[in-house]
mmCIF file of all heavy atoms in Angstrom:
data_model
loop_
_atom_site.group_PDB
_atom_site.id
_atom_site.type_symbol
_atom_site.label_atom_id
_atom_site.label_comp_id
_atom_site.label_asym_id
_atom_site.label_seq_id
_atom_site.Cartn_x
_atom_site.Cartn_y
_atom_site.Cartn_z
ATOM 1 N N CYS A 207 -9.665 12.882 -5.009
ATOM 2 C CA CYS A 207 -10.100 11.583 -4.473
ATOM 3 C C CYS A 207 -11.087 11.785 -3.333
ATOM 4 O O CYS A 207 -12.114 11.098 -3.254
ATOM 5 C CB CYS A 207 -8.893 10.785 -3.994
ATOM 6 S SG CYS A 207 -7.889 10.083 -5.327
ATOM 7 N N GLY A 208 -10.795 12.739 -2.443
ATOM 8 C CA GLY A 208 -11.700 13.007 -1.341
ATOM 9 C C GLY A 208 -13.070 13.442 -1.823
ATOM 10 O O GLY A 208 -14.103 13.005 -1.287
ATOM 11 N N GLU A 209 -13.103 14.308 -2.829
ATOM 12 C CA GLU A 209 -14.382 14.796 -3.358
ATOM 13 C C GLU A 209 -15.193 13.683 -4.002
ATOM 14 O O GLU A 209 -16.429 13.731 -4.004
ATOM 15 C CB GLU A 209 -14.109 15.901 -4.386
ATOM 16 C CG GLU A 209 -13.574 17.186 -3.788
ATOM 17 C CD GLU A 209 -13.175 18.202 -4.834
ATOM 18 O OE1 GLU A 209 -13.218 17.878 -6.046
ATOM 19 O OE2 GLU A 209 -12.822 19.333 -4.451
ATOM 20 N N GLN A 210 -14.517 12.674 -4.553
ATOM 21 C CA GLN A 210 -15.214 11.602 -5.254
ATOM 22 C C GLN A 210 -15.394 10.343 -4.408
ATOM 23 O O GLN A 210 -15.887 9.322 -4.904
ATOM 24 C CB GLN A 210 -14.450 11.258 -6.545
ATOM 25 C CG GLN A 210 -14.368 12.413 -7.524
ATOM 26 C CD GLN A 210 -13.566 12.073 -8.771
ATOM 27 O OE1 GLN A 210 -13.686 10.982 -9.316
ATOM 28 N NE2 GLN A 210 -12.748 13.007 -9.231
ATOM 29 N N GLY A 211 -14.988 10.403 -3.130
ATOM 30 C CA GLY A 211 -15.151 9.255 -2.255
ATOM 31 C C GLY A 211 -14.197 8.117 -2.556
ATOM 32 O O GLY A 211 -14.479 6.954 -2.239
ATOM 33 N N ILE A 212 -13.050 8.458 -3.141
ATOM 34 C CA ILE A 212 -12.044 7.463 -3.518
ATOM 35 C C ILE A 212 -10.942 7.456 -2.467
ATOM 36 O O ILE A 212 -10.461 8.510 -2.044
ATOM 37 C CB ILE A 212 -11.449 7.803 -4.901
ATOM 38 C CG1 ILE A 212 -12.537 7.754 -5.976
ATOM 39 C CG2 ILE A 212 -10.298 6.872 -5.252
ATOM 40 C CD1 ILE A 212 -12.104 8.335 -7.310
ATOM 41 N N ALA A 213 -10.519 6.287 -2.040
ATOM 42 C CA ALA A 213 -9.416 6.199 -1.083
ATOM 43 C C ALA A 213 -8.119 6.654 -1.735
ATOM 44 O O ALA A 213 -7.820 6.282 -2.878
ATOM 45 C CB ALA A 213 -9.271 4.774 -0.584
ATOM 46 N N PHE A 214 -7.340 7.454 -1.012
ATOM 47 C CA PHE A 214 -6.002 7.845 -1.452
ATOM 48 C C PHE A 214 -5.021 7.095 -0.560
ATOM 49 O O PHE A 214 -5.065 7.219 0.671
ATOM 50 C CB PHE A 214 -5.810 9.352 -1.329
ATOM 51 C CG PHE A 214 -4.510 9.843 -1.910
ATOM 52 C CD1 PHE A 214 -4.374 10.049 -3.269
ATOM 53 C CD2 PHE A 214 -3.415 10.090 -1.087
ATOM 54 C CE1 PHE A 214 -3.172 10.491 -3.815
ATOM 55 C CE2 PHE A 214 -2.214 10.532 -1.617
ATOM 56 C CZ PHE A 214 -2.089 10.738 -2.982
ATOM 57 N N VAL A 215 -4.144 6.299 -1.183
ATOM 58 C CA VAL A 215 -3.290 5.369 -0.434
ATOM 59 C C VAL A 215 -1.822 5.662 -0.752
ATOM 60 O O VAL A 215 -1.287 5.164 -1.742
ATOM 61 C CB VAL A 215 -3.631 3.902 -0.793
ATOM 62 C CG1 VAL A 215 -2.928 2.943 0.159
ATOM 63 C CG2 VAL A 215 -5.138 3.673 -0.781
ATOM 64 N N PRO A 216 -1.158 6.476 0.058
ATOM 65 C CA PRO A 216 0.238 6.800 -0.229
ATOM 66 C C PRO A 216 1.164 5.612 -0.006
ATOM 67 O O PRO A 216 0.956 4.820 0.914
ATOM 68 C CB PRO A 216 0.569 7.908 0.781
ATOM 69 C CG PRO A 216 -0.746 8.383 1.309
ATOM 70 C CD PRO A 216 -1.660 7.200 1.230
ATOM 71 N N PHE A 217 2.181 5.497 -0.879
ATOM 72 C CA PHE A 217 3.238 4.538 -0.578
ATOM 73 C C PHE A 217 4.525 5.287 -0.244
ATOM 74 O O PHE A 217 4.690 6.445 -0.603
ATOM 75 C CB PHE A 217 3.456 3.523 -1.712
ATOM 76 C CG PHE A 217 3.765 4.102 -3.068
ATOM 77 C CD1 PHE A 217 5.050 4.479 -3.415
ATOM 78 C CD2 PHE A 217 2.765 4.228 -4.020
ATOM 79 C CE1 PHE A 217 5.350 4.980 -4.666
ATOM 80 C CE2 PHE A 217 3.046 4.737 -5.295
ATOM 81 C CZ PHE A 217 4.340 5.108 -5.608
ATOM 82 N N PHE A 218 5.408 4.635 0.480
ATOM 83 C CA PHE A 218 6.633 5.232 1.020
ATOM 84 C C PHE A 218 6.331 6.392 1.961
ATOM 85 O O PHE A 218 7.078 7.368 2.028
ATOM 86 C CB PHE A 218 7.579 5.689 -0.090
ATOM 87 C CG PHE A 218 8.062 4.578 -0.982
ATOM 88 C CD1 PHE A 218 8.277 4.793 -2.332
ATOM 89 C CD2 PHE A 218 8.290 3.309 -0.481
ATOM 90 C CE1 PHE A 218 8.735 3.776 -3.157
ATOM 91 C CE2 PHE A 218 8.741 2.279 -1.291
ATOM 92 C CZ PHE A 218 8.966 2.515 -2.640
ATOM 93 N N ALA A 219 5.227 6.297 2.698
ATOM 94 C CA ALA A 219 4.858 7.374 3.621
ATOM 95 C C ALA A 219 5.836 7.491 4.777
ATOM 96 O O ALA A 219 6.038 8.580 5.315
ATOM 97 C CB ALA A 219 3.442 7.150 4.159
ATOM 98 N N ILE A 220 6.448 6.383 5.165
ATOM 99 C CA ILE A 220 7.451 6.422 6.231
ATOM 100 C C ILE A 220 8.829 6.711 5.653
ATOM 101 O O ILE A 220 9.566 7.560 6.148
ATOM 102 C CB ILE A 220 7.506 5.095 7.004
ATOM 103 C CG1 ILE A 220 6.214 4.873 7.790
ATOM 104 C CG2 ILE A 220 8.691 5.083 7.966
ATOM 105 C CD1 ILE A 220 6.189 3.559 8.563
ATOM 106 N N ALA A 221 9.172 6.009 4.582
ATOM 107 C CA ALA A 221 10.541 6.075 4.072
ATOM 108 C C ALA A 221 10.918 7.474 3.624
ATOM 109 O O ALA A 221 12.027 7.931 3.830
ATOM 110 C CB ALA A 221 10.712 5.084 2.921
ATOM 111 N N GLY A 222 9.998 8.183 2.996
ATOM 112 C CA GLY A 222 10.315 9.524 2.538
ATOM 113 C C GLY A 222 11.143 9.523 1.277
ATOM 114 O O GLY A 222 11.516 8.496 0.721
ATOM 115 N N GLU A 223 11.468 10.697 0.805
ATOM 116 C CA GLU A 223 12.179 10.864 -0.450
ATOM 117 C C GLU A 223 13.571 10.246 -0.374
ATOM 118 O O GLU A 223 14.350 10.503 0.518
ATOM 119 C CB GLU A 223 12.318 12.355 -0.771
ATOM 120 C CG GLU A 223 12.907 12.646 -2.144
ATOM 121 C CD GLU A 223 11.994 12.168 -3.259
ATOM 122 O OE1 GLU A 223 10.790 12.014 -3.018
ATOM 123 O OE2 GLU A 223 12.511 11.955 -4.372
ATOM 124 N N GLY A 224 13.876 9.393 -1.360
ATOM 125 C CA GLY A 224 15.203 8.842 -1.461
ATOM 126 C C GLY A 224 15.542 7.772 -0.452
ATOM 127 O O GLY A 224 16.681 7.329 -0.378
ATOM 128 N N ARG A 225 14.525 7.305 0.323
ATOM 129 C CA ARG A 225 14.826 6.314 1.363
ATOM 130 C C ARG A 225 13.955 5.066 1.199
ATOM 131 O O ARG A 225 13.642 4.386 2.156
ATOM 132 C CB ARG A 225 14.606 6.927 2.748
ATOM 133 C CG ARG A 225 15.595 8.039 3.063
ATOM 134 C CD ARG A 225 15.494 8.439 4.510
ATOM 135 N NE ARG A 225 14.305 9.244 4.740
ATOM 136 C CZ ARG A 225 13.787 9.456 5.948
ATOM 137 N NH1 ARG A 225 14.331 8.917 7.007
ATOM 138 N NH2 ARG A 225 12.726 10.206 6.092
ATOM 139 N N GLU A 226 13.576 4.769 -0.065
ATOM 140 C CA GLU A 226 12.649 3.672 -0.298
ATOM 141 C C GLU A 226 13.206 2.328 0.144
ATOM 142 O O GLU A 226 12.466 1.431 0.516
ATOM 143 C CB GLU A 226 12.290 3.575 -1.793
ATOM 144 C CG GLU A 226 11.458 4.738 -2.301
ATOM 145 C CD GLU A 226 12.326 5.879 -2.779
ATOM 146 O OE1 GLU A 226 13.528 5.900 -2.440
ATOM 147 O OE2 GLU A 226 11.811 6.749 -3.492
#
Side-chain angles (χ1 to χ4, degrees):
C207 286
E209 290 174 355
Q210 298 178 41
I212 298 169
F214 186 81
V215 190
F217 56 83
F218 298 145
I220 293 179
E223 187 65 22
R225 293 190 284 163
E226 292 88 344

